[in-house]
Amino acid sequence: KREALADEDNTNNDDDENSQNKESSKSTDWKKYKKTCSAPNCTNQANRKGGVCKRHGRLCSSPNCTNTIVNRGVCMKHGAIIKRCNTEGCDNFVVQGGVCITHGAKVNPRLCKAEGCQSQARNGGVCIKHGAKVKRCSYNGCTNQSQKGGLCKKHGADVKHYLCSIEGCQSHVVQGGVCRKHGAE
């Protein structure tokens, strides 16, 4: 009887070892597909191509460079060619039609998904009226929308106002670098 019990114990031990080996092989298979991003100090899961996460994109092809590709397989530092605004003295990037936003490029904002609504979409494809969540002022009891640093303008948000790009105009910019008087819609 003792020999029979000992044999059963040995077979049970063998089964336990086999199951542990199967579990460890499963965990190593899983690790193959769950690599971390190769960018410094990033713990996000890497894509299968390139070895970096979505945030870091693909890396520059120059040796020892950790910048992301901008154009032609290289970063700005290693020769990526980016078009600049055609206006003299402007170093902004081209957005549309050879000019930057400041000099007249029109960028169509995403509109709210709600039927008939022409407001600009915020979170989840809807405007504030239709349920987009916005941050509120952190001042006790205030329900205004926060502007900067968690506060509204009334409670001390330091909001920068840009002036119209037309010479001599002291109005605030509304859209495209100009005020309403000079063509902003």
Side-chain angles (χ1 to χ4, degrees), residues 84-134:
R84 300 286 181 161
C85 182
N86 292 337
T87 308
E88 274 188 49
C90 182
D91 288 332
N92 294 334
F93 297 121
V94 167
V95 174
Q96 183 183 24
V99 292
C100 63
I101 292 172
T102 307
H103 294 107
K106 298 285 184 198
V107 179
N108 296 331
R110 291 181 309 136
L111 297 180
C112 179
K113 290 179 185 175
E115 195 172 317
C117 184
Q118 293 297 308
S119 298
Q120 187 174 356
R122 299 291 178 148
N123 284 345
V126 293
C127 66
I128 295 170
K129 287 185 273 185
H130 291 108
K133 292 184 179 179
V134 292

Side-chain angles (χ1 to χ4, degrees), residues 22-120:
K22 286 180 185 176
E23 286 175 16
S24 65
S25 66
K26 284 181 186 176
S27 65
T28 54
D29 290 343
W30 176 248
K31 285 179 185 175
K32 281 184 198 174
Y33 299 110
K34 201 166 184 179
K35 292 183 179 177
T36 56
C37 178
S38 61
N41 301 324
C42 182
T43 58
N44 294 334
Q45 184 177 348
N47 294 332
R48 290 185 185 209
K49 283 187 175 180
V52 290
C53 64
K54 285 183 181 179
R55 179 174 170 222
H56 291 105
R58 293 186 332 186
L59 296 179
C60 178
S61 59
S62 295
N64 299 325
C65 182
T66 58
N67 295 331
T68 55
I69 289 176
V70 173
N71 172 323
R72 299 182 183 188
V74 292
C75 64
M76 293 287 286
K77 182 177 166 184
H78 292 109
I81 298 169
I82 302 293
K83 292 182 181 178
R84 300 286 181 161
C85 182
N86 292 337
T87 308
E88 274 188 49
C90 182
D91 288 332
N92 294 334
F93 297 121
V94 167
V95 174
Q96 183 183 24
V99 292
C100 63
I101 292 172
T102 307
H103 294 107
K106 298 285 184 198
V107 179
N108 296 331
R110 291 181 309 136
L111 297 180
C112 179
K113 290 179 185 175
E115 195 172 317
C117 184
Q118 293 297 308
S119 298
Q120 187 174 356

